[in-house]
Amino acid sequence: MISPVFRQSLTCFFGLYVCAVGVVRGAEKLDISKLPPPAQLSVDFARDIQPIFEAHCVKCHGAEKQKGGWRVDVKEVALTDGDNYAPNIHPGKSAESPMIHFVAGLDPEMKMPAKGDPLTAAEIGLLRAWIDQGAVWPEIVAQANPLDWWSLKPLRRPAVPVIEGVSNPIDAFIRAKLAEKKLIPSPEADRRTLIRRLYYDLTGLPPKPEDIDTFVADPDPKAYEKLVDQLLASPQYGERWARHWLDVVRYGETHGYDKDQPRNNAWPYRDYVIRAFNEDKPYGRFVQEQIAGDVLFPSTEDGIEALGFIAAGPWDLIGHAEVPETKTDGKIARNLDRDDMVSNTMNTFNSLTVQCARCHNHKFDKYITQEDYYSLQAVFAALDRADKKYDLDPVLGRQRGELAARIKTLKTQREQLRNTAVAAAGAPLAELEKRLAALQKPTPGKVLKADAYGYHSQISPRQDTVKWVQMDLGKSIALSKIVLHPCKDDYNQIGEGFGFPVRFKVEVADDPEFATGVTMIGDQTQTDLLNPRLNAVAFPVNGQAVRYVRVTATRLAPRKDDYIFALAELSAIDVTAQNVALGAAVTALDSIEAPPRWRKTNLTDAYFPGANLAGEPDEVAKLTAERDRMVDSALTSENREALATAGRDLAVAEKGIAALPPARTVYAGTVHTGAGAFVGTGANGGQPRVIQVLHRGDVNSPRQMVEAGTVPIMADEPSRFALAPDAPEGERRAALAHWLTDPRNPLTWRSIVNRVWQYHFGHGLVDSPNDFGHMGQLPTHPELLDWLAVEFRDGGQSIKHMHRLIVTSATYRQASCTGNEAKAAESIDGDNRFLWRMNRRRLEAEAVRDSVLSVAGQLDLTMGGPSFRDFVVEQPAHSPHYEYRLHDADDPKSHRRSIYRWIVRSQPQPFLTTLDCADPSMSVEKRNESLSALQALALMNNPLMVVMAKHFAERLEREATGIDAQITRGFQLGLGRAPRPEEQREMSAYARQFGLPNTCRLIFNLNEFVFAD
């Protein structure tokens, strides 16, 4: 993936070069006396000027090319835009207009037109007269009705063709088109073929031999329809169709880009999609939840988890987490991040390529301007990709939210009161602080004999409560080890090791949220640790560069009828043996702030039992107490009482939030408050960033500000949202969600029915599913597409209903085989675009893998939850390496359906990639379907195939006796039929010579195994 910073640098370089050339040329004196005189008549644009533009200019300055950033087919651009000479037309001043200079040849280096015959003196005279008369460009000519395109026309339900003996509307439209093309439909496929086709289309798994036999022998004339309903009701249906959706929305479980760190909490969005398909959620709600579920459906599981859609695509960790938003590289990273959100939304739901307007007005879909594009960026201007906490119980969620808000308010109140007192204390307090800091600097040779101060968590009534504390080193530093120093406190006669956790883990990361790139340094979570007394507990880091260190207690230390977590010091020793943690910022899940004895800052002050310090503890304690006294004395009686009240209330609120069950987490588009470079807009109260049009997409060339909105595809609907200036950011997304699902939006409904159609037939009615614009394909059956769109939109928006309508049609049930009788049809429609037969389709990579597991008897149908990993992570300092070659293919934890596989962007799974698996770094609206020798080698020799062939053979030995019977059973399980006599003879002979596992590998490698029918 090309670095966005490098790409932007090239853009800036060439932009500066062109500008410099333009300045030099602009400085030259042009002899305007050589211009042909203006025509002496009243000029009409449509009659006199537009033909000149079309004859001489549009090839280089039209929809396909815009040399110099200028075009003459769009009024606004022609009159105002251009890279170096804008405006090229000065109304009322033709002699000063650069366009006239160029067409008249005054500038020898800017000959226009560059190719072909030059303009005549008469044509130049007309152009001069038009400009001198005000460059009048009537709107009716300027608009030329850009919405006059098939996909943008309002939806109307077409009349269904009347064809004798045809009851399904789909068949009526298809048969009418076939008759128009002088084609005839193919006969219906046999039942054995149909059940296999249905199973793979609706569940992605092969039918059991017993199910095939039952269906083939069922005399019920409605047996097929009943089978359809049975499969649509199967939980495996949602898993199958969620995979198609995740292809389109770029779902992955690592960030991509250079470091490609993992996303440990992406999977709830995947489970949401599966659940939505299984529940047959109305499509309008499905769309709205993914854009603004937290606003439109607050306190619902789906309303939160669906927001994973916004964050599904790749994310530049370096550009966000290591480069601040104020730097050019940080601006570029965030601009590209919003671009991904915009393109994912509009490509997915509207099949519209708005991202083409990031640097200029859309070249081909002229109704999309650059300002439209940035108005869509403004919709997502407050969002980042980050872990979002949520509760399934709305009551619990409200309670947690109220407590969190209460804690924030009380902490702010306390801080303000203390700041007031510090300001009142003045210079004496500042001097005392300096003395105290000097005393706390570590020096060799001085041994601290008394107890030391430390960090102390809030008290918990339960021992298995999770608590954590972490420090920020300020930047990534190569460390040799992390050291934990225990506390000493005689409370309840505990003494040495006071509060040291019984079970805990030590982790490091460059992410302050510890959501990505986390390395486990020490894991003591499985067994209890004996009290270390005052012995330091160290964990090697081996030179890894890290910024954040977190200690998480999973089983707390007993205190007195309750439990705590306490540490005296957390040291980070670098490769030069220096403690680089001194003075590091400390954060925690909670903390008892009772200075000087207990507070978070004590964790990195080098002050612990046995430490070498310049000052003795009594002296430090004395000065610390004096400091606190000075602050306290500076408080007014009113403020002192307010501070005490706030402290008591804060303790109650923190105890209340600690007692709540832990919240759940999903990686989603959310307002983020972070640390370091990756701060987000949460630091600004969640207010959206200011979005401006960027000239040529350059973050350093901002132009006019834009309001949140979308593209003008509905004639009676404004493209900018009517929102109050202080409206919460979620209202922008809610407005977009309503716009997308507006019944008048023709793209939304055409797009989704076209996608469903494609996955059943291999080709969409429009064979460019992500592009319904001028560069996309035209529909083969426009009336059928519109009929399906209206039926879907107005009929409950049920995708299962759409499936049922399609798969029960005679068109879908046609045979896919071709013979001599089909030669004529193939000569007319070799690609079968008009569906005179069913397309024979190869199974997708995941369906092949799942079928292998299923037939071998090893498929684990456990649904939902964190993904399985079919790789081993090697963790060098810079970024993880995902090593598939080190994975044990016989590990039962990896034998779940492929939808639950951990998807890595930078290092795709080799076996599935060979079989044309989707690339998670891009929207894959339609998978490649290639045939190669490498696929045959993978199906024969991949470790998974070898292991599953062994399990397949063991299954056959359990279920059948004798080679012949085992071969028959193998064909039934793998191909859905018994072997033909010659197949039986050859395969039995092979099995006797080379063994049953090798024979099972042959069955896996048959074309019939990897094709739907």
Side-chain angles (χ1 to χ4, degrees), residues 924-943:
V924 180
E925 73 276 22
K926 184 171 60 174
R927 291 197 182 185
N928 295 330
E929 192 170 299
S930 63
L931 292 173
S932 68
L934 189 59
Q935 292 170 350
L937 290 170
L939 288 169
M940 180 64 75
N941 298 320
N942 183 270

Side-chain angles (χ1 to χ4, degrees), residues 472-697:
D472 177 4
L473 300 178
K475 62 181 180 179
S476 289
I477 302 174
L479 302 180
S480 63
K481 61 182 177 179
I482 302 294
V483 184
L484 279 58
H485 296 280
C487 295
K488 181 181 178 182
D489 194 295
D490 290 331
Y491 182 85
N492 197 30
Q493 299 181 338
I494 294 175
E496 297 176 343
F498 175 81
F500 201 89
V502 177
R503 295 189 183 187
F504 63 95
K505 59 183 177 179
V506 181
E507 299 169 302
V508 296
D510 282 339
D511 174 12
E513 304 297 329
F514 278 75
T516 60
V518 178
T519 301
M520 181 81 73
I521 297 300
D523 187 355
Q524 184 67 41
T525 59
Q526 303 303 312
T527 59
D528 290 355
L529 179 73
L530 294 176
N531 187 337
R533 316 308 298 174
L534 291 183
N535 297 311
V537 180
F539 300 94
V541 186
N542 300 321
Q544 180 177 340
V546 299
R547 175 170 176 173
Y548 300 96
V549 180
R550 176 179 286 193
V551 181
T552 303
T554 57
R555 177 169 291 179
L556 306 180
R559 196 185 73 118
K560 183 179 181 181
D561 300 326
D562 49 32
Y563 304 91
I564 58 161
F565 169 31
L567 289 176
E569 188 78 9
L570 181 58
S571 301
I573 310 303
D574 69 6
V575 293
T576 67
Q578 298 298 310
N579 181 14
V580 293
L582 296 179
V586 178
T587 55
L589 175 68
D590 53 43
S591 172
I592 287 180
E593 296 294 305
R597 187 69 179 88
W598 301 114
R599 57 186 163 195
K600 294 192 294 291
T601 55
N602 289 346
L603 194 64
T604 56
D605 63 358
Y607 197 47
F608 58 88
N612 294 331
L613 295 177
E616 290 295 338
D618 291 344
E619 186 178 3
V620 173
K622 179 180 178 181
L623 287 178
T624 302
E626 176 63 16
R627 179 189 59 190
D628 294 338
R629 186 196 64 75
M630 291 178 67
V631 173
D632 185 67
S633 63
L635 290 167
T636 65
S637 57
E638 183 180 355
N639 285 350
R640 185 176 294 106
E641 179 59 32
L643 188 62
T645 302
R648 289 192 297 269
D649 292 347
L650 181 60
V652 171
E654 288 179 334
K655 188 173 182 179
I657 205 167
L660 297 177
R664 296 182 67 173
T665 308
V666 60
Y667 189 79
T670 185
V671 173
H672 175 64
T673 301
F678 184 33
V679 175
T681 63
N684 192 31
Q687 290 299 310
R689 300 168 175 89
V690 172
I691 301 298
Q692 296 170 269
V693 172
L694 302 180
H695 179 60
R696 298 183 69 83

Side-chain angles (χ1 to χ4, degrees), residues 865-924:
S867 302
F868 70 84
R869 300 186 180 193
D870 53 356
F871 52 81
V872 172
V873 178
E874 291 186 343
Q875 186 80 46
H878 179 263
S879 59
H881 290 176
Y882 305 93
E883 300 293 351
Y884 297 95
R885 60 185 174 82
L886 300 179
H887 174 256
D888 179 8
D890 209 12
D891 180 5
K893 293 192 295 293
S894 65
H895 294 168
R896 299 174 68 196
R897 290 202 69 177
S898 299
I899 186 73
Y900 300 113
R901 180 178 65 88
W902 187 294
I903 298 176
V904 177
R905 296 189 200 273
S906 62
Q907 293 167 268
Q909 216 279 0
F911 175 62
L912 297 181
T913 300
T914 302
L915 299 176
D916 300 321
C917 186
D919 182 345
S921 293
M922 62 181 66
S923 176
V924 180

Side-chain angles (χ1 to χ4, degrees), residues 325-336:
E325 198 159 349
T326 54
K327 301 289 187 181
T328 296
D329 290 354
K331 292 177 183 177
I332 293 170
R334 288 154 180 84
N335 180 37
L336 294 177

Side-chain angles (χ1 to χ4, degrees), residues 391-410:
D391 292 288
L392 294 182
D393 182 355
V395 175
L396 182 62
R398 285 194 296 272
Q399 187 178 1
R400 191 187 308 278
E402 290 168 358
L403 283 170
R406 176 70 170 154
I407 290 170
K408 182 177 180 181
T409 300
L410 289 169

Side-chain angles (χ1 to χ4, degrees), residues 34-36 98-107 110 112 119 124:
K34 295 181 180 180
L35 291 175
M99 182 187 75
I100 298 298
H101 301 164
F102 301 150
V103 298
L106 297 189
D107 186 341
M110 289 292 289
M112 291 178 59
L119 273 65
I124 297 172

